[in-house]
Each structure stands twice: as C-alpha cells, then as structure tokens.
Amino acid sequence: MDIAGLYELQKIDLNMDKARRRVAQIRRKLEEPEELKQARAAVATLRSELERLHARQIDAELNSRQLAERIQESERRLMSGEVRNARELEALQSSIESMKRQRAQVEEVAIESMQQREAHQRQLADQEATLAHLENTWSAQKATLEEEETKYKRFYAQLKQQRQRLSERLSADALSLYAQLVERKAGVAVAAVQNGACSACNMALPTGVVSHARTSAGTPVFCPSCGRILFAA
C-alpha cells in the first residue's frame, strides 16, 4: 500500500477543505454590510421627506396666491360700492378678515416647510457624503474579496485535478481504507510522525512503532492512540 501517496492525498484533501471554508467565509462577507444598508435607507427617507415638504410648500404657496386673489376681489367689491346692503357688507368684511387669517396660516405653513426643507437638505448632503464614503469603501473591499474568491476557486480546481491524478495511482484497497478512516477520524486518516509523536493526536509513539512505520514495505502502521495511519518520511 502506498502510504506516502495516501499522505499526499490527505494533504490535498485538507487543503481542499480549507479552500472550501475560505470561499464560504468570503461569500458571507460579500453580503452588503448592514451599515451601508442603513445609510442608503436614511438617504431614501430624507429624499422622500424633502419631496413631501416641497409638495407641502407648493400647496401652501398656491393656496396663498388663491386667497390673495379672492381677498383682492372681495376688497374691490367692498370699495366699489357694488354692495350696499349693510348685512351683505358686514358678511363681506367678515369674509375678507377670515381669508386674511387663512392666508396668514398657509403662509406660515409655506415658511415652515421651506425652513424644514433647508434643514433636511443639509442633513441629506451629510448623509449622502456618508453613503458615498461607505459605498466606495465597500466597493474596494468587495473587489478584494471577489479577487480572493477567484483565487481560492482556482486553487481548489487545481487541487481537485491533483487529487484525481493521485487517486488513479492508488489501489482500490488503499482508497477504501482511507475513506473509512476519513469518515471515522474527523477527516484525518493519515498522520505524520513528528519528533516521535503522532501529528494528529500529539501522543508520543513507542520507538518500535516509529521504526516500523519507517521500514514497513507498504503495510499500514496505525497510531496506537488514535488509530490513524502513520506516515514516517
């Protein structure tokens, strides 16, 4: 059994797993940041409010002009002598005074709306600047993440090809044993011997086991502690 080949297969599989995890992390990071969403929503809200205030101001100004025309016409009638009946004159005068009060109120609404619009326009300018900064920052981060994602996908594809070529050289028995151990041993079937210890479980290995792992002619030697295949260069 090609123990060295299985060890190479193990390294490829671990690197493929790392690449998959990193791609998954990148995809999560590629979701638009909440701060950017909130800034965009704030800009939209301010723009909507500005439109409402503008419409309110225009309506008030239009009402003011219409009232001014009606007041002017009523005052003309009052001064022209067209109305001579005392009761009608009193009603006309009362109407003029009522319209003037109404006009004062709508002019107040127009001025208030204009002042609020100016304040909202300043807020909008600040919020738009914040949004532009966040969008530029996110755009740069996104480009970097997408570039990294492409790199890892390419790396994963290369590893997949390497794994295919290596698997074709290994025996069916070796691949079967490897697959069984991968499933039972948390994805690690082959462990290197490092400084007299198993690199997977870090337990010190008996000298005889280390020696056997180095000299065995294709016969798997297992870690007495974790049961993984030992590879000794």
Side-chain angles (χ1 to χ4, degrees):
M1 190 175 289
D2 186 354
I3 306 302
L6 289 179
Y7 182 63
E8 286 302 313
L9 185 64
Q10 179 71 82
K11 289 195 293 184
I12 290 172
D13 281 350
L14 290 174
N15 282 329
M16 288 178 71
D17 187 54
K18 287 178 183 177
R20 277 193 300 268
R21 288 201 305 270
R22 183 54 187 158
V23 168
Q25 289 173 349
I26 290 170
R27 286 178 179 169
R28 287 194 295 272
K29 289 183 178 181
L30 281 171
E31 295 176 4
E32 192 172 77
E34 191 61 33
E35 185 181 17
L36 179 54
K37 292 179 183 177
Q38 291 175 354
R40 190 175 288 115
V43 167
T45 299
L46 283 169
R47 286 175 179 166
S48 176
E49 182 64 10
L50 274 172
E51 290 177 4
R52 187 190 69 81
L53 289 170
H54 190 210
R56 184 170 180 248
Q57 180 184 345
I58 290 174
D59 285 345
E61 290 172 349
L62 179 61
N63 286 338
S64 177
R65 283 196 297 270
Q66 291 173 340
L67 285 166
E69 291 171 1
R70 288 170 58 191
I71 290 168
Q72 186 178 14
E73 175 59 21
S74 296
E75 287 180 337
R76 185 196 66 75
R77 289 185 64 213
L78 184 67
M79 302 301 294
S80 67
E82 293 178 15
V83 181
R84 289 188 172 85
N85 183 280
R87 186 172 294 177
E88 289 182 5
L89 285 170
E90 185 179 349
L92 184 59
Q93 182 64 46
S94 177
S95 175
I96 290 170
E97 290 173 358
S98 175
M99 287 189 290
K100 285 182 177 179
R101 288 194 296 271
Q102 283 183 286
R103 190 183 180 208
Q105 289 173 350
V106 296
E107 285 182 341
E108 193 174 307
V109 169
I111 292 170
E112 180 188 359
S113 298
M114 182 182 66
Q115 291 173 338
Q116 289 180 350
R117 277 185 66 206
E118 290 173 351
H120 277 68
Q121 283 170 339
R122 289 192 293 271
Q123 291 177 28
L124 178 60
D126 291 342
Q127 194 62 52
E128 284 178 334
T130 299
L131 176 60
H133 173 70
L134 289 172
E135 285 180 331
N136 290 336
T137 301
W138 168 237
S139 180
Q141 290 175 348
K142 186 178 179 183
T144 300
L145 287 168
E146 288 174 340
E147 183 180 349
E148 186 181 2
E149 182 184 20
T150 299
K151 182 186 73 174
Y152 271 98
K153 284 181 176 179
R154 190 180 299 118
F155 178 51
Y156 183 86
Q158 292 171 350
L159 290 170
K160 191 174 181 180
Q161 290 177 352
Q162 291 175 18
R163 191 185 196 285
Q164 180 62 33
R165 289 194 296 269
L166 180 56
S167 296
E168 290 172 356
R169 299 204 313 264
L170 296 170
S171 69
D173 288 345
L175 290 173
S176 177
L177 175 61
Y178 176 82
Q180 292 172 29
L181 288 172
V182 163
E183 186 175 353
R184 287 162 34 206
K185 302 296 181 181
V188 180
V190 186
V193 176
Q194 294 177 344
N195 300 319
C198 170
S199 62
C201 66
N202 297 317
M203 293 298 291
L205 297 167
T207 304
V209 171
V210 174
S211 178
H212 191 198
R214 284 183 179 142
T215 59
S216 66
T219 301
V221 176
F222 299 91
C223 172
S225 176
C226 67
R228 292 177 173 89
I229 299 171
L230 291 172
F231 170 72

